[in-house]
Amino acid sequence: MKKFNDLFKTDKVIIGMIHVNALPGTPKFAGSVKTIVEKAKKEALLYKNAGIDAIAIENMHDVPYLKNSVGAEITAAMSIIGHEVKSCSNMPCGIQILAGANIEALAVAQSAELDFIRAEGFVFAHTADEGIIESCAGNTLRYRRMIGAENVLVFTDIKKKHSSHSITADVDIAETAHAAEFFLSDGVIVTGAATGMEASITEITQVKKAVKIPVLVGSGITYDNLEKYIPAADAFIVGSYFKKDGYWENDIDFEKTKKFMQKVNKLRS
């Protein structure tokens, strides 16, 4: 927990998501990296001014996703975006590169001086819409050591959303979390079944009891359910709720985000 606390310097951390526009080489790319960078910087400053504790960037518009690795063009673009978001916000910043491109995410974090990554498929295996995602803890943490990025925290999804876990149905979420801790995860992420869907309080409580590393909630947090979730975990990754009409593709709703953080601060105190 020390590295986590040293980074965020607050309890009940709120991490706001920036879903960067489609990147070069993907079907929805609109032709201007500069425009993508400027939009991401604008969103970072909106989050900062609304009182968010940290930011994470993600290439969610890059559908359909590649599995486990992406092209150099994606890594390069995310490095630029990450550097500019970090520089303009001066906040703790992280990154996820879909789908399961954890090595590339570490490379970006190291080059852009980001603070954490969100990693898929860290332990066990699951079936996602991209295919079968296998355990990557060994490769991911060896690569982190090789490039001297031990300062970059690796937060890991367990029983990840948008996935089938039938092949590991006999391994409950607490045991999965314990395995991630044993494999040196810096924090585990519990989600609902899909983007914007609430995570199970029962599962979060089971995970919190099973591990000594931070527990993050990765979906479904809203203004209305904060009282239920704030006591249960250490950090909360919020994307859809901060967007207009609660839809992840829309622009950030500044007033809604500011009101959300005002309530968080009251609950903290």
Side-chain angles (χ1 to χ4, degrees):
M1 291 290 289
K2 185 178 185 305
K3 290 169 68 176
F4 181 90
N5 292 332
D6 287 346
L7 172 60
F8 294 113
K9 297 180 174 60
T10 188
D11 61 345
K12 310 304 179 182
V13 180
I14 305 298
I15 302 169
M17 288 300 307
I18 294 176
H19 301 114
V20 302
N21 285 0
L23 298 173
T26 66
K28 294 171 67 177
F29 177 55
S32 172
V33 173
K34 182 178 180 180
T35 299
I36 298 170
V37 172
E38 292 305 316
K39 184 174 185 288
K41 289 169 63 178
K42 178 182 177 181
E43 292 188 349
L45 292 176
L46 283 173
Y47 276 144
K48 183 182 179 80
N49 292 332
I52 292 291
D53 304 310
I55 294 169
I57 63 173
E58 179 186 49
N59 62 326
M60 196 161 170
H61 288 271
D62 284 358
V63 289
Y65 307 124
L66 297 172
K67 187 180 76 168
N68 294 133
S69 63
V70 293
E73 68 282 357
I74 303 298
T75 308
M78 289 294 270
S79 295
I80 296 168
I81 297 163
H83 178 271
E84 293 300 301
V85 165
K86 177 73 175 181
S87 296
C88 78
S89 68
N90 195 30
M91 295 168 63
C93 292
I95 182 171
Q96 179 176 17
I97 300 183
L98 300 168
N102 304 320
I103 297 297
E104 289 89 339
L106 274 172
V108 170
Q110 176 71 334
S111 63
E113 298 186 339
L114 305 184
D115 304 290
F116 61 91
I117 72 165
R118 180 174 182 173
E120 301 175 74
F122 194 73
V123 290
F124 294 101
H126 63 268
T127 304
D129 40 13
E130 304 88 16
I132 296 176
I133 308 292
E134 296 189 46
S135 173
C136 67
N139 289 338
T140 300
L141 295 191
R142 281 165 173 77
Y143 182 75
R144 181 174 69 171
R145 181 61 179 264
M146 184 186 77
I147 64 172
E150 287 90 349
N151 58 305
V152 178
L153 302 184
V154 177
F155 299 141
T156 58
D157 277 284
I158 52 174
K159 300 287 186 179
K160 183 186 173 293
K161 61 186 177 181
H162 298 293
S163 303
S164 169
H165 300 280
S166 58
I167 56 177
T168 56
D170 58 337
V171 182
D172 67 23
I173 196 164
E175 187 176 349
T176 305
H178 180 71
E181 180 180 41
F182 180 68
F183 273 12
L184 306 181
S185 168
D186 294 306
V188 290
I189 303 170
V190 181
T191 68
T195 297
M197 293 186 64
E198 288 191 11
S200 162
I201 284 288
T202 300
E203 289 188 344
I204 296 167
T205 302
Q206 290 171 347
V207 169
K208 190 67 178 165
K209 289 179 180 179
V211 299
K212 296 178 181 178
I213 57 177
V215 175
L216 299 83
V217 177
S219 70
I221 301 299
T222 70
Y223 182 92
D224 293 329
N225 65 24
L226 272 171
E227 287 93 347
K228 180 171 68 172
Y229 282 99
I230 283 286
D234 302 294
F236 307 86
I237 302 169
V238 186
S240 298
Y241 181 76
F242 290 151
K243 305 300 182 69
K244 293 177 181 178
D245 300 321
Y247 184 57
W248 70 269
E249 285 195 89
N250 292 341
D251 292 335
I252 293 170
D253 186 324
F254 176 78
E255 292 301 325
K256 186 165 71 168
T257 305
K258 183 178 178 181
K259 182 180 178 182
F260 178 97
M261 287 308 301
Q262 289 171 342
K263 185 172 184 179
V264 168
N265 289 328
K266 286 182 181 179
L267 292 171
R268 283 171 173 162
S269 62

